[in-house]
Amino acid sequence: SCFLRHARSRNYGSESEVCKLESVPLDFGDYHPLKPITVTESKTKKMSRKGSTSSTSSSSSSSIMDPLSSVLDGTDPLSLFAAAADPVTTAAATDSTRKKRDRDDSSAVGSDFEPWSSKRGEILARYTTTEKLSIVSGSFSRKATTTGSAVSEKVRTRLEELDDLEEGSQKELLNLTQQDYMNRIEELNQSLKDAWSSDQKVKALKIVIQCSKLLSDATVIQFYPSKFVLITDILDTFGKLVYERILSMCMDNRVSLPDNFSPESVNDTAKETCLNWFFKIASIRELIPRFYVEAAILKCNKFLSKTGISECLPRLTSMIRGIGDPLVAVYARAYLCRVGMEVAPQLKESLNKNFFDFLLTFKQIHGDTVQNQLVVQCVEIPLYLTLYSPAIDWILQCIAYRAPEVLLTEMMERCKKLGNNALLLNSVMSAFRAEFIAARSMDFIGMIKECDESGFPKHLLFRSLGLNLALADPPENDRLQILNEAWKVITKLKNPQDYINCAEVWVEYTCRHFTKREVNTVLADVIKHMTPDRAFEDAYPQLQSIIQKVITYISDFSLLFSVEKFLPFLDMFQKESVRVEVCKCIMESFIKHQQESTKDPVILNALLHICKTMHDSVNALTLEDEKRMLAALINGFIKMVSFGRDFEQQLSFYVEARSMFCNLEPVLVQLIHSVNQLAMETRKVMKGNHSRKTAAFVRACVAFCFITIPSLSSIFTRLNLYLHSGQVALANQCLSQADAFFKAAVSLVPEVPKMISVDGKMRPSDAFLLEFLCNFFSTLLVVPDHPEQGVLFLVRGLLNVIQDYTWEDNSDDKIRIYTNVLHLLSAMTQETYIYHVDKVDSNDTLYGGDSKFLTEINKLCETVIAQILDHLKTLGKEETLKRQSQLALYFFNTILAHGDLRNNKLNQLSVNLWNLAQKHGFADTKTMVKTLEYIKRRSEQPEMSHFTDLALRLPLQSRT
């Protein structure tokens, strides 16, 4: 009860000086806290098992290495044992040198070469069928051989097994859907791996032969490119397994061959095994499986002779001449190019020969055999020709890779000699470097014009040309003519899908090289073509792509919205989900590119319309993440709007935004913060001295916040905004409005639930409430009393609410809050408060240390202390002694900081609390020791000598 009568009178200024840290001049040198940390990585040159020191070289690296992996160099002992046990992984796990070599092999073609793997998915997605497929499936039963049979017997058995495969141990699976077929191929791929891992090499070979045979079947012709992709995956797996098996046989004392090994360093066993594989493959009777399986293991020639690959490639190229079906043949050529680029990218002459062979046989495509086949399968010529594209594109890509201009020019001439065949021309434009095509754009346009329209549509050729011009620029003088020539053809297209596929590509060219006038013309043409019969409904992806390109190249939004047809173009997005995606795309671009705030009415009206579209898409089923994203985009826009010194216009904008975006809580929160900021900017401009007009404006801002906050659902958001807005009102001398905010916050505290949702998880609310109330107390110190209300009416109201609030049984938060109230009351008794609000008189000025005022504070204090002591008594049970100890020490520290311990009663209370904290051995000894040291240090300060006596009365008890 004597706490407040004996609250320590504070001189905040001198205390602050004493507590300041000593300033020491610092020389930072190169150090900066935001600089990335450089990790020094030690690279071990030489490892020795016996603890000898190894020479290491250090190199700076910003990527963090795993120290264990770097020491072992990938050859950890467990992997070695596992590899020895498992023949499949022998080569894989033994050493990192081979991994490095594989990387080097693949990097022989450089990262600028687009690998086959990146084309796989596109081919599988594009070439599909609804027709039924068939597959020949082997029975693959392994014949038992008696142990101890002669080697010759084993060889004979293996040859019989191979013959058995070719002579009919297969059954044909008919009427498979495309998915069943793909699943079956995947099963075969798995069977191959299983057979290999169980050392059934002949069975593995049989599977590969069987799969290769499927490539001679073109009965469902439109599925052939996808079939090729699936089956060559199996061939690649087989080629890798054979190569790694032979490589593992070359190991000498666990040391693998060097990267560029010569055939002389390969041991006889490995060479014999390698030859054995080639002999087995040579005995395959049918041409197509023999070709594919040999091509799959082409890399193994490296074990036999230096010139092995260069001798094999021309032979394999010539073998393809024996394949009658031109489609099957062109894919065989593509596979040979694929393998050739992987194992010997330097042997370009073989690739060129391969392509020139194809050109010689190209007229077969228009022969009677192919035409009859197409009639049977009901396939039109234009569709049939597109089946060639992946193979020809790939062959040309391999030829064109880092090829001299001369070769590319020769290719163009050959195409002309073939009568500007559209299919070839298209592949040339797909495969050659964009810079090469762009530089000769007018030549290509001339060739396109002369092409025969019947087989391969011209618009596809213009599309391919457009794709090149999006990557490289044509000569400046030709740019407008190129656009005119292309658009003449594109705009005449009757089929909306053909039209939009071309227009989408050429929009980028237009945006790159021309002004908004040309972009506007192109957009108008797209609208004209896509609006009849609602054709736009089938072209949303392309239309989205067009919008994306336009906003990528026109990032100045005042220019963008002055493009007359831009907003009408947006009206074509009538499916809500797509419309919202487009709006999000535009808003992301605005937030990314808009550097300065804007008040341009064209931008504001357009973006308000776009944000309204996003907001109106929110419904009961919208996910929280989606709401958060939309709110973030709208908030980004709101922050970018500024009318400069026209604060009233700014407030009108916020009022309009509130009515438009009322369903997104984060947007309302942002608007409240923005309006509060507006009020503070007004105060800053007026330097705190409001005129009648600005005072009325600030009150309007305050009123905006006061009526918006109740519409929010999150209770802590409301509490914090009431407090924040009250502080803003107080800073602008709106005292009655500030009181209204604080009263609203006080009346809201009882509604705080026990559990609240934080990031989707339910958490107790006590900690959040404690934090809020501590902030609230800090503000209440400077809030002046209302002349018509009682002394400290807000503090009393808050204490009543805290008293009535239902706290958890095992919680001490209520007492911690009461202890913080003592800090507030102690600060209120000082002659001058620790801080003030400019131009607002707080209670220290209003009451001037009046005794009645101090008496009222003292009464409050007595009530609070009584509550704390009563609670400490209730914690005397065995299970709550630890909490009692912690709270006693917490209260002791409060008295130490805020009480005048020269008073005997207060001094005795502090000693009692100290003893209570230690009484049952729950006190933290370190904390107690540090607290005692602090008291002893304080006793050395002026007017603090009584702390010396106090320290002597505070014993430290050892734990027993």
Side-chain angles (χ1 to χ4, degrees):
S1 66
C2 53
F3 178 79
L4 256 295
R5 276 201 296 276
H6 301 287
R8 186 161 65 82
S9 58
R10 313 280 289 269
N11 182 338
Y12 292 118
S14 61
E15 281 186 41
S16 174
E17 284 301 319
V18 170
C19 295
K20 266 186 185 169
L21 293 172
E22 186 183 349
S23 59
V24 179
L26 277 178
D27 177 24
F28 282 109
D30 288 339
Y31 168 76
H32 189 280
L34 299 181
K35 229 180 177 182
I37 298 168
T38 302
V39 177
T40 302
E41 164 203 334
S42 289
K43 289 189 178 169
T44 309
K45 282 182 182 167
K46 188 178 177 184
M47 283 300 295
S48 173
R49 284 259 165 138
K50 294 166 189 170
S52 62
T53 56
S54 56
S55 59
T56 62
S57 67
S58 288
S59 66
S60 259
S61 161
S62 57
S63 63
I64 297 167
M65 295 288 288
D66 172 6
L68 299 178
S69 302
S70 60
V71 170
L72 288 165
D73 195 28
T75 55
D76 66 287
L78 294 179
S79 297
L80 288 173
F81 287 132
D86 183 356
V88 178
T89 54
T90 304
T94 46
D95 95 292
S96 61
T97 329
R98 196 188 65 256
K99 287 179 195 166
K100 183 172 181 294
R101 180 174 54 249
D102 289 348
R103 277 203 301 276
D104 292 345
D105 284 355
S106 63
S107 67
V109 288
S111 57
D112 54 339
F113 183 81
E114 188 185 356
W116 173 259
S117 55
S118 66
K119 298 177 183 292
R120 256 185 106 260
E122 191 187 333
I123 296 172
L124 288 171
R126 185 175 167 193
Y127 298 98
T128 58
T129 182
T130 51
E131 290 186 39
K132 297 297 181 186
L133 302 154
S134 62
I135 191 168
V136 176
S137 171
S139 54
F140 300 135
S141 55
R142 193 180 186 195
K143 297 183 181 179
T145 53
T146 55
T147 53
S149 61
V151 175
S152 57
E153 184 65 31
K154 186 177 178 185
V155 171
R156 193 182 309 123
T157 309
R158 288 194 166 186
L159 288 171
E160 280 171 8
E161 282 182 354
L162 279 175
D163 285 346
D164 190 28
L165 173 79
E166 299 199 34
E167 286 164 13
S169 69
Q170 313 114 335
K171 59 177 187 288
E172 191 170 10
L173 299 177
L174 301 169
N175 293 331
L176 298 177
T177 64
Q178 182 181 319
Q179 190 56 51
D180 292 339
Y181 189 90
M182 291 169 80
N183 293 344
R184 181 70 192 129
I185 295 285
E186 184 49 47
E187 283 171 26
L188 285 169
N189 201 355
Q190 193 53 50
S191 300
L192 168 66
K193 291 175 185 171
D194 294 345
W196 193 272
S197 61
S198 57
D199 209 21
Q200 298 180 52
K201 303 293 185 288
V202 171
K203 180 179 174 182
L205 180 58
K206 286 166 81 171
I207 292 170
V208 176
I209 294 169
Q210 178 198 326
C211 291
S212 307
K213 279 185 173 182
L214 296 172
L215 289 172
S216 57
D217 170 30
T219 46
V220 182
I221 205 159
Q222 63 268 42
F223 184 62
Y224 192 84
S226 291
K227 184 200 282 191
F228 171 79
V229 167
L230 295 168
I231 288 168
T232 51
D233 282 352
I234 296 178
L235 288 162
D236 291 344
T237 304
F238 176 71
K240 198 173 175 188
L241 289 170
V242 173
Y243 183 80
E244 291 187 352
R245 161 93 176 123
I246 298 167
L247 189 66
S248 67
M249 297 171 80
C250 300
M251 287 182 65
D252 185 23
N253 294 330
R254 289 190 180 167
V255 177
S256 185
L257 289 174
D259 289 353
N260 299 313
F261 64 87
S262 64
E264 291 76 40
S265 55
V266 178
N267 61 44
D268 290 345
T269 315
K271 279 185 177 175
E272 191 180 332
T273 306
C274 186
L275 275 169
N276 188 19
W277 276 110
F278 280 111
F279 291 153
K280 276 181 190 167
I281 291 162
S283 67
I284 299 171
R285 293 172 194 171
E286 290 183 31
L287 172 63
I288 289 177
R290 186 166 74 250
F291 163 78
Y292 271 107
V293 181
E294 184 172 352
I297 67 161
L298 182 67
K299 193 176 179 181
C300 295
N301 278 288
K302 286 169 69 175
F303 297 111
L304 300 176
S305 76
K306 280 184 179 175
T307 55
I309 292 174
S310 57
E311 286 165 5
C312 270
L313 274 172
R315 182 171 55 78
L316 289 169
T317 304
S318 302
M319 276 171 75
I320 299 172
R321 293 176 182 174
I323 299 174
D325 187 320
L327 184 67
V328 175
V330 79
Y331 275 96
R333 294 184 195 284
Y335 187 65
L336 190 58
C337 284
R338 187 167 127 198
V339 176
M341 281 302 278
E342 199 177 307
V343 300
Q346 70 282 3
L347 298 174
K348 277 291 179 70
E349 62 279 1
S350 292
L351 300 180
N352 298 346
K353 179 174 180 266
N354 195 354
F355 183 65
F356 294 144
D357 267 10
F358 164 68
L359 291 181
L360 290 171
T361 57
F362 191 75
K363 52 183 176 290
Q364 271 186 290
I365 290 176
H366 300 288
D368 292 343
T369 314
V370 171
Q371 298 299 325
N372 295 339
Q373 187 185 5
L374 297 184
V375 170
V376 171
Q377 295 206 29
C378 304
V379 174
E380 300 286 327
I381 269 282
L383 173 63
Y384 175 67
L385 290 179
T386 60
L387 301 177
Y388 283 80
S389 292
I392 302 174
D393 289 356
W394 177 257
I395 295 168
L396 281 168
Q397 182 189 319
C398 295
I399 291 171
Y401 180 65
R402 292 183 183 170
E405 296 261 320
V406 186
L407 176 69
L408 304 183
T409 316
E410 187 193 341
M411 290 286 176
M412 276 181 71
E413 292 307 315
R414 290 207 174 219
C415 284
K416 283 182 182 173
K417 281 178 187 167
L418 276 171
N420 283 338
N421 185 280
L423 174 64
L424 271 180
L425 194 56
N426 191 56
S427 290
V428 165
M429 288 192 287
S430 301
F432 285 15
R433 287 194 302 276
E435 294 78 13
F436 176 87
I437 305 291
R440 295 164 180 75
S441 298
M442 290 309 297
D443 293 349
F444 276 100
I445 284 177
M447 290 164 73
I448 291 170
K449 281 179 171 177
E450 290 169 22
C451 275
D452 175 22
E453 179 85 46
S454 62
F456 199 93
K458 278 186 185 172
H459 67 85
L460 290 181
L461 297 173
F462 273 108
R463 186 174 189 276
S464 297
L465 181 61
L467 288 168
N468 281 291
L469 295 179
L471 299 171
D473 300 337
E476 201 162 337
N477 300 335
D478 296 343
R479 286 175 187 175
L480 186 57
Q481 194 184 347
I482 291 167
L483 180 62
N484 288 334
E485 292 287 352
W487 209 262
K488 260 188 234 169
V489 175
I490 295 167
T491 196
K492 285 178 186 167
L493 292 171
K494 297 283 186 284
N495 182 321
Q497 207 59 40
D498 291 346
Y499 170 83
I500 197 67
N501 284 336
C502 279
E504 174 205 352
V505 171
W506 280 88
V507 163
E508 184 160 4
Y509 174 75
T510 314
C511 293
R512 263 170 85 107
H513 300 298
F514 299 99
T515 62
K516 70 169 192 178
R517 190 170 72 87
E518 288 82 2
V519 173
N520 194 51
T521 308
V522 169
L523 293 183
D525 196 58
V526 174
I527 294 169
K528 190 177 106 183
H529 276 79
M530 301 309 291
T531 308
D533 303 324
R534 299 176 70 84
F536 53 75
E537 289 182 344
D538 299 320
Y540 284 137
Q542 293 93 329
L543 294 173
Q544 271 180 279
S545 171
I546 289 174
I547 286 284
Q548 184 71 59
K549 285 165 183 168
V550 171
I551 60 179
T552 301
Y553 286 99
I554 308 179
S555 54
D556 177 352
F557 272 70
S558 55
L559 183 64
L560 178 68
F561 290 125
S562 65
V563 174
E564 196 184 324
K565 293 293 177 183
F566 183 74
L567 290 175
F569 191 93
L570 288 184
D571 291 337
M572 285 198 290
F573 295 100
Q574 301 209 346
K575 186 180 178 185
E576 190 182 56
S577 59
V578 182
R579 194 181 179 86
V580 171
E581 281 305 313
V582 171
C583 291
K584 277 162 48 175
C585 197
I586 294 169
M587 291 312 300
E588 280 165 7
S589 176
F590 175 76
I591 291 164
K592 182 179 176 185
H593 293 113
Q594 188 73 20
Q595 300 297 326
E596 296 168 0
S597 50
T598 181
K599 60 176 180 178
D600 183 331
V602 176
I603 294 181
L604 296 191
N605 287 331
L607 291 185
L608 274 173
H609 170 68
I610 286 167
C611 289
K612 179 81 173 121
T613 302
M614 296 195 308
H615 168 270
D616 292 350
S617 70
V618 173
N619 56 39
L621 300 176
T622 308
L623 298 172
E624 285 303 316
D625 276 355
E626 177 71 4
K627 286 185 191 173
R628 229 186 331 268
M629 182 188 281
L630 295 177
L633 292 172
I634 296 172
N635 284 346
F637 164 59
I638 288 169
K639 288 177 194 170
M640 291 307 295
V641 176
S642 170
F643 291 89
R645 282 291 184 88
D646 191 348
F647 290 165
E648 289 183 349
Q649 183 68 39
Q650 188 84 30
L651 183 60
S652 300
F653 170 76
Y654 291 144
V655 171
E656 186 185 356
R658 180 178 63 185
S659 67
M660 291 176 87
F661 309 127
C662 53
N663 288 338
L664 287 172
E665 195 157 300
V667 179
L668 295 179
V669 172
Q670 177 60 45
L671 288 169
I672 292 166
H673 284 308
S674 297
V675 171
N676 277 330
Q677 192 177 355
L678 193 59
M680 292 308 285
E681 278 177 26
T682 311
R683 177 181 182 273
K684 187 178 174 185
V685 169
M686 301 303 292
K687 297 183 177 150
N689 300 309
H690 284 298
S691 65
R692 184 179 294 178
K693 187 179 177 185
T694 59
F697 175 74
V698 166
R699 284 198 293 276
C701 292
V702 168
F704 175 98
C705 298
F706 193 73
I707 60 174
T708 309
I709 294 171
S711 63
L712 304 175
S713 61
S714 164
I715 194 151
F716 278 102
T717 305
R718 274 186 281 162
L719 282 170
N720 285 313
L721 285 172
Y722 274 135
L723 179 56
H724 184 221
S725 304
Q727 291 164 345
V728 170
L730 199 59
N732 283 288
Q733 299 124 51
C734 303
L735 300 184
S736 57
Q737 285 86 349
D739 280 351
F741 278 116
F742 297 140
K743 280 181 187 170
V746 169
S747 60
L748 194 57
V749 170
E751 294 177 29
V752 174
K754 292 285 169 290
M755 305 292 282
I756 56 166
S757 175
V758 179
D759 296 332
K761 292 178 183 173
M762 297 307 288
R763 300 271 164 81
S765 62
D766 297 8
F768 297 96
L769 185 57
L770 184 61
E771 183 188 2
F772 166 75
L773 290 172
C774 289
N775 286 340
F776 199 179
F777 295 147
S778 304
T779 305
L780 289 179
L781 174 63
V782 291
V783 178
D785 278 346
H786 194 287
E788 292 172 15
Q789 308 279 357
V791 177
L792 302 180
F793 75 103
L794 282 172
V795 178
R796 289 173 187 280
L798 189 53
L799 282 172
N800 289 336
V801 165
I802 294 165
Q803 175 65 31
D804 296 339
Y805 186 79
T806 314
W807 299 89
E808 292 289 334
D809 293 339
N810 59 348
S811 166
D812 298 320
D813 286 331
K814 182 178 180 180
I815 302 308
R816 290 183 187 280
I817 291 168
Y818 280 154
T819 313
N820 284 319
V821 171
L822 289 180
H823 302 171
L824 168 65
L825 296 174
S826 166
M828 282 182 159
T829 62
Q830 304 302 320
E831 272 185 44
T832 306
Y833 290 172
I834 186 169
Y835 46 81
H836 292 88
V837 176
D838 190 33
K839 299 192 171 50
V840 173
D841 291 333
S842 297
N843 286 341
D844 56 343
T845 311
L846 293 181
Y847 290 109
D850 182 71
S851 57
K852 286 182 182 175
F853 173 63
L854 295 176
T855 307
E856 286 296 325
I857 294 178
N858 198 37
K859 282 181 188 170
L860 270 180
C861 187
E862 285 175 13
T863 312
V864 170
I865 288 179
Q867 292 272 358
I868 295 172
L869 294 175
D870 285 348
H871 186 77
L872 280 171
K873 282 178 192 167
T874 62
L875 297 177
K877 297 172 190 154
E878 193 172 338
E879 63 274 14
T880 54
L881 290 175
K882 187 173 183 181
R883 282 165 54 199
Q884 185 188 54
S885 167
Q886 289 168 343
L887 273 187
L889 188 59
Y890 188 59
F891 189 23
F892 171 83
N893 285 329
T894 296
I895 294 175
L896 202 60
H898 299 280
D900 184 353
L901 289 167
R902 283 175 293 202
N903 174 269
N904 291 334
K905 283 186 178 176
L906 203 55
N907 200 307
Q908 186 56 50
L909 176 60
S910 63
V911 172
N912 292 345
L913 289 167
W914 176 268
N915 291 332
L916 181 61
Q918 297 187 99
K919 188 173 180 183
H920 300 285
F922 284 106
D924 178 44
T925 313
K926 278 186 186 173
T927 308
M928 304 304 277
V929 169
K930 283 184 179 175
T931 308
L932 200 52
E933 283 172 4
Y934 165 74
I935 293 169
K936 287 173 183 172
R937 273 204 310 279
R938 285 283 299 275
S939 67
E940 295 164 11
Q941 293 172 6
E943 298 181 17
M944 289 290 180
S945 55
H946 56 284
F947 269 48
T948 310
D949 299 331
L950 177 65
L952 295 172
R953 299 179 62 199
L954 302 177
L956 276 173
Q957 292 182 4
S958 59
R959 261 189 205 180
T960 53

